[in-house]
Amino acid sequence: MTADAPDGVLHPPASIAVVGSGQLGRMFIQAAQRMGYEAGVLSATAETPAAQVADWTVLGPPDHLPALRALADRALAVTVEFENVSAPALRWLARRRIVRPGWRTLWVSQNRLREKTFLARHGIPHAPWRPVRTADELATAVRELKTPLILKTSDSGYDGKGQVLVERDGDAENAWSSLGRTSCVAEGWVEFAAEASVVVARGRDGRAVAFPVGLNHHERHILATTTTPAAVGPIVTQEAHDTALAVAQALGAVGVLCVEFFLTSAGRLLVNEIAPRPHNSGHLTIEAAYTSQFEQQVRALCGLPLGSCDLTSPAAMVNLLGDLWAGGEPRWDQALGDPGVKLHLYGKRTAKPGRKMGHITVLDPDPAQALARALAARRALTERG
């Protein structure tokens, strides 16, 4: 706690901040501003999505001590928008300001070896895996897991980066070399029927709430669509909620956390990854829930009671990637021809293939119809008359 907030509760118009300046930081800042807080960002440049809307910006890398000092001078509480923040930097900040989630939560989640070990220690179902740090461990992983398997770097992997499929035993050595022979985890192949996620908010008092399960579809390892509530049945829904809440409690996370699952054809849920911050699959909560994932992040950071995670309507979200700009500026007028389409653009200056530039959300009493309408709106963006 700090002298400015001895009980750990901050009321508007207190100054709060986020480390990380992408779209997640942008939407956190917008939620904080709606609630009356002054919201700043630690950003590499002044033109990032979050810096464009922030009340103030500290320029610098997230582990740069002068930048951290400047951040502590401006903000009474600090959160993060991505997990690959220096744990020592967060420890330094936490001695001076409220920091939620804490550095230990990020430390576990930012490294796949630590994350898998955490899941195993707490008995949380997950895919079989083995550590790969040496050639001998690679051989052991291939022998015990069998091929095909997925080789993933321990650090800095997202949206399919830092991972490679090993289809045959003889491919393993080359696959590891393609990843720089760095520390990895080998994951056994999982034949899954669907991918799902649950976003959880946990307060400083230990109370936690979960949003309805989202059904996710990925293309090229990047999230393409999310539909909620997921049509996975009441038993799987309850198991997903229970597991996600158990993960949040075991981590001691304060803030917002997403647990991504594989759902096997036999109906078994396996945890794939943990993201200790708001998640792409939760963007639709801005329109579809009583309290968005970003408002929950503000509430948890400031020590306020959490809001309701109930939906106001079933919904679907589709990501807008930079590929849509290949033929020129997308036709926003055509996409917005459906009056129920909600458009979010992140203010990124350059469109690149695979880069998340924005998203579309549609509310509809029928989740499948919400998805169909959202996909139709995305198709309309590139239709030329």
Side-chain angles (χ1 to χ4, degrees):
M1 308 310 166
T2 72
D4 306 276
D7 59 355
V9 178
L10 292 173
H11 298 281
S15 185
I16 61 178
V18 58
V19 176
S21 54
Q23 62 266 21
L24 297 177
R26 180 188 183 97
M27 289 182 271
F28 164 82
I29 286 170
Q30 290 169 329
Q33 290 168 335
R34 282 194 296 272
M35 295 177 69
Y37 289 94
E38 182 180 285
V41 62
L42 175 56
S43 173
T45 73
E47 288 301 314
T48 57
Q52 291 169 14
V53 301
D55 293 304
W56 51 266
T57 301
V58 171
L59 296 178
D63 57 352
H64 188 50
L65 191 57
L68 292 172
R69 286 199 181 99
L71 189 69
D73 286 343
R74 297 293 302 268
L76 297 177
V78 179
T79 190
V80 299
E81 70 139 18
F82 63 102
E83 51 267 43
N84 292 318
V85 177
S86 162
L90 287 186
R91 282 202 306 270
W92 186 92
L93 271 175
R95 290 195 290 268
R96 294 156 177 82
R97 292 292 183 241
I98 296 168
V99 175
R100 296 169 177 152
W103 69 268
R104 288 183 181 84
T105 298
L106 268 72
W107 184 78
V108 170
S109 304
Q110 66 191 198
N111 178 279
R112 288 191 173 106
L113 278 172
R114 291 195 290 267
E115 184 177 84
K116 301 292 187 186
T117 301
F118 162 82
L119 294 172
R121 184 169 67 248
H122 291 278
I124 295 167
H126 57 284
W129 67 280
R130 296 292 185 273
V132 174
R133 294 158 296 195
T134 67
D136 286 345
E137 286 186 335
L138 178 63
T140 298
V142 171
R143 183 175 66 253
E144 296 182 353
L145 296 176
K146 312 300 182 186
T147 52
L149 59 80
I150 307 289
L151 201 58
K152 299 181 179 181
T153 57
S154 297
D155 299 310
S156 304
Y158 66 96
D159 286 347
K161 297 177 176 64
Q163 60 182 268
V164 62
L165 171 65
V166 180
E167 297 187 85
R168 295 175 295 275
D169 293 10
D171 297 338
E173 186 67 32
N174 286 338
W176 190 36
S177 294
S178 75
L179 297 174
R181 299 178 70 85
T182 188
S183 173
C184 291
V185 296
E187 291 183 3
W189 184 260
V190 175
E191 291 288 351
F192 59 88
E195 295 175 271
S197 58
V198 174
V199 175
V200 172
R202 184 175 182 271
R204 68 190 184 100
D205 59 358
R207 176 176 174 260
V209 291
F211 288 95
V213 181
L215 188 66
N216 301 327
H217 171 65
H218 289 77
E219 297 173 1
R220 296 177 295 167
H221 301 289
I222 301 172
L223 183 67
T225 71
T226 297
T227 309
T228 191
V232 293
I235 295 175
V236 171
T237 295
Q238 188 63 54
E239 288 178 350
H241 274 168
D242 290 347
T243 301
L245 290 167
V247 168
Q249 294 290 1
L251 277 174
V254 178
V256 171
L257 173 144
C258 180
V259 180
E260 298 178 69
F261 296 94
F262 292 134
L263 176 62
T264 70
S265 55
R268 188 177 181 219
L269 281 169
L270 301 174
V271 172
N272 178 31
E273 290 186 351
I274 303 168
R277 37 85 178 161
H279 192 261
N280 195 168
S281 65
H283 289 353
L284 48 69
T285 62
I286 294 173
E287 286 89 12
Y290 285 101
T291 312
S292 77
Q293 64 171 347
F294 300 102
E295 182 179 330
Q296 298 285 36
Q297 187 181 20
V298 176
R299 286 172 177 248
L301 175 63
C302 296
L304 302 176
L306 299 175
S308 169
C309 286
D310 290 346
L311 296 180
T312 59
S313 168
M317 178 218 69
V318 299
N319 271 329
L320 305 178
L321 303 184
D323 311 63
L324 294 170
W325 277 253
E329 187 71 16
R331 294 291 304 275
W332 307 114
D333 57 327
Q334 294 182 167
L336 295 172
D338 180 337
V341 168
K342 298 293 186 180
L343 173 66
H344 295 257
L345 293 176
Y346 305 147
K348 296 180 180 180
R349 304 305 191 199
T350 305
K352 301 176 183 177
R355 191 180 195 196
K356 295 173 183 175
M357 302 294 292
H359 70 269
I360 282 173
T361 299
V362 173
L363 310 186
D364 194 285
D366 180 354
Q369 186 61 23
L371 179 59
R373 291 169 61 192
L375 289 171
R378 186 173 67 181
R379 286 194 300 271
L381 288 171
T382 54
E383 290 175 354
R384 306 293 172 184

mmCIF file of all heavy atoms in Angstrom, residues 27 29 38 40 100 121 193 218 295 311 324 372:
data_model
loop_
_atom_site.group_PDB
_atom_site.id
_atom_site.type_symbol
_atom_site.label_atom_id
_atom_site.label_comp_id
_atom_site.label_asym_id
_atom_site.label_seq_id
_atom_site.Cartn_x
_atom_site.Cartn_y
_atom_site.Cartn_z
ATOM 1 N N MET A 27 -7.561 0.160 -24.259
ATOM 2 C CA MET A 27 -8.916 -0.075 -23.770
ATOM 3 C C MET A 27 -8.987 -0.004 -22.246
ATOM 4 O O MET A 27 -10.015 0.386 -21.682
ATOM 5 C CB MET A 27 -9.435 -1.399 -24.326
ATOM 6 C CG MET A 27 -9.726 -1.292 -25.828
ATOM 7 S SD MET A 27 -10.395 -2.789 -26.595
ATOM 8 C CE MET A 27 -8.871 -3.626 -27.072
ATOM 9 N N ILE A 29 -7.148 2.157 -20.493
ATOM 10 C CA ILE A 29 -7.148 3.604 -20.243
ATOM 11 C C ILE A 29 -8.529 4.190 -20.506
ATOM 12 O O ILE A 29 -9.040 5.005 -19.717
ATOM 13 C CB ILE A 29 -6.074 4.285 -21.118
ATOM 14 C CG1 ILE A 29 -4.684 3.976 -20.546
ATOM 15 C CG2 ILE A 29 -6.304 5.791 -21.192
ATOM 16 C CD1 ILE A 29 -3.548 4.377 -21.449
ATOM 17 N N GLU A 38 -7.544 9.515 -13.782
ATOM 18 C CA GLU A 38 -6.519 10.005 -14.698
ATOM 19 C C GLU A 38 -5.657 8.804 -15.041
ATOM 20 O O GLU A 38 -5.143 8.135 -14.151
ATOM 21 C CB GLU A 38 -5.686 11.102 -14.032
ATOM 22 C CG GLU A 38 -4.632 11.697 -14.944
ATOM 23 C CD GLU A 38 -3.833 12.779 -14.248
ATOM 24 O OE1 GLU A 38 -4.370 13.887 -14.069
ATOM 25 O OE2 GLU A 38 -2.676 12.503 -13.880
ATOM 26 N N GLY A 40 -2.497 7.000 -17.247
ATOM 27 C CA GLY A 40 -1.280 7.176 -18.019
ATOM 28 C C GLY A 40 -0.708 5.864 -18.481
ATOM 29 O O GLY A 40 -1.230 4.785 -18.174
ATOM 30 N N ARG A 100 -0.723 -4.320 -9.410
ATOM 31 C CA ARG A 100 -1.625 -5.459 -9.532
ATOM 32 C C ARG A 100 -1.810 -5.782 -11.008
ATOM 33 O O ARG A 100 -2.193 -4.886 -11.758
ATOM 34 C CB ARG A 100 -2.998 -5.146 -8.881
ATOM 35 C CG ARG A 100 -2.909 -4.904 -7.380
ATOM 36 C CD ARG A 100 -4.209 -4.354 -6.837
ATOM 37 N NE ARG A 100 -4.119 -4.194 -5.373
ATOM 38 C CZ ARG A 100 -4.813 -3.295 -4.679
ATOM 39 N NH1 ARG A 100 -5.637 -2.468 -5.311
ATOM 40 N NH2 ARG A 100 -4.678 -3.216 -3.366
ATOM 41 N N ARG A 121 1.748 -28.853 -10.454
ATOM 42 C CA ARG A 121 1.808 -28.819 -8.992
ATOM 43 C C ARG A 121 0.423 -28.656 -8.371
ATOM 44 O O ARG A 121 0.134 -29.196 -7.299
ATOM 45 C CB ARG A 121 2.723 -27.673 -8.534
ATOM 46 C CG ARG A 121 2.919 -27.624 -7.022
ATOM 47 C CD ARG A 121 4.032 -26.670 -6.631
ATOM 48 N NE ARG A 121 3.691 -25.280 -6.925
ATOM 49 C CZ ARG A 121 4.270 -24.533 -7.844
ATOM 50 N NH1 ARG A 121 5.250 -25.044 -8.593
ATOM 51 N NH2 ARG A 121 3.911 -23.287 -8.027
ATOM 52 N N ALA A 193 -11.571 -30.814 -30.081
ATOM 53 C CA ALA A 193 -12.769 -30.525 -30.867
ATOM 54 C C ALA A 193 -13.037 -29.032 -30.931
ATOM 55 O O ALA A 193 -13.676 -28.549 -31.858
ATOM 56 C CB ALA A 193 -13.975 -31.242 -30.252
ATOM 57 N N HIS A 218 -9.182 -20.036 -34.256
ATOM 58 C CA HIS A 218 -7.909 -19.449 -34.642
ATOM 59 C C HIS A 218 -7.627 -19.713 -36.131
ATOM 60 O O HIS A 218 -7.993 -20.769 -36.665
ATOM 61 C CB HIS A 218 -6.762 -20.027 -33.816
ATOM 62 C CG HIS A 218 -6.761 -19.576 -32.388
ATOM 63 N ND1 HIS A 218 -7.626 -20.084 -31.437
ATOM 64 C CD2 HIS A 218 -5.988 -18.666 -31.743
ATOM 65 C CE1 HIS A 218 -7.387 -19.503 -30.267
ATOM 66 N NE2 HIS A 218 -6.401 -18.639 -30.427
ATOM 67 N N GLU A 295 -13.007 -2.702 -17.422
ATOM 68 C CA GLU A 295 -13.491 -2.069 -16.189
ATOM 69 C C GLU A 295 -13.160 -2.939 -14.985
ATOM 70 O O GLU A 295 -12.799 -2.428 -13.911
ATOM 71 C CB GLU A 295 -14.993 -1.811 -16.258
ATOM 72 C CG GLU A 295 -15.508 -1.101 -15.004
ATOM 73 C CD GLU A 295 -16.990 -0.791 -15.033
ATOM 74 O OE1 GLU A 295 -17.537 -0.580 -16.129
ATOM 75 O OE2 GLU A 295 -17.595 -0.757 -13.943
ATOM 76 N N LEU A 311 -23.796 -11.436 -18.967
ATOM 77 C CA LEU A 311 -23.967 -10.852 -20.291
ATOM 78 C C LEU A 311 -25.264 -10.057 -20.369
ATOM 79 O O LEU A 311 -26.276 -10.434 -19.778
ATOM 80 C CB LEU A 311 -23.989 -11.943 -21.362
ATOM 81 C CG LEU A 311 -22.730 -12.788 -21.558
ATOM 82 C CD1 LEU A 311 -22.965 -13.810 -22.670
ATOM 83 C CD2 LEU A 311 -21.516 -11.923 -21.869
ATOM 84 N N LEU A 324 -6.501 -7.067 -44.240
ATOM 85 C CA LEU A 324 -7.677 -6.427 -44.825
ATOM 86 C C LEU A 324 -7.324 -5.144 -45.571
ATOM 87 O O LEU A 324 -8.114 -4.661 -46.385
ATOM 88 C CB LEU A 324 -8.703 -6.123 -43.724
ATOM 89 C CG LEU A 324 -9.347 -7.340 -43.039
ATOM 90 C CD1 LEU A 324 -10.132 -6.908 -41.823
ATOM 91 C CD2 LEU A 324 -10.260 -8.069 -44.025
ATOM 92 N N ALA A 372 -22.385 -14.943 -37.490
ATOM 93 C CA ALA A 372 -22.629 -14.814 -38.923
ATOM 94 C C ALA A 372 -22.669 -13.348 -39.346
ATOM 95 O O ALA A 372 -22.115 -12.966 -40.385
ATOM 96 C CB ALA A 372 -23.934 -15.515 -39.294
#
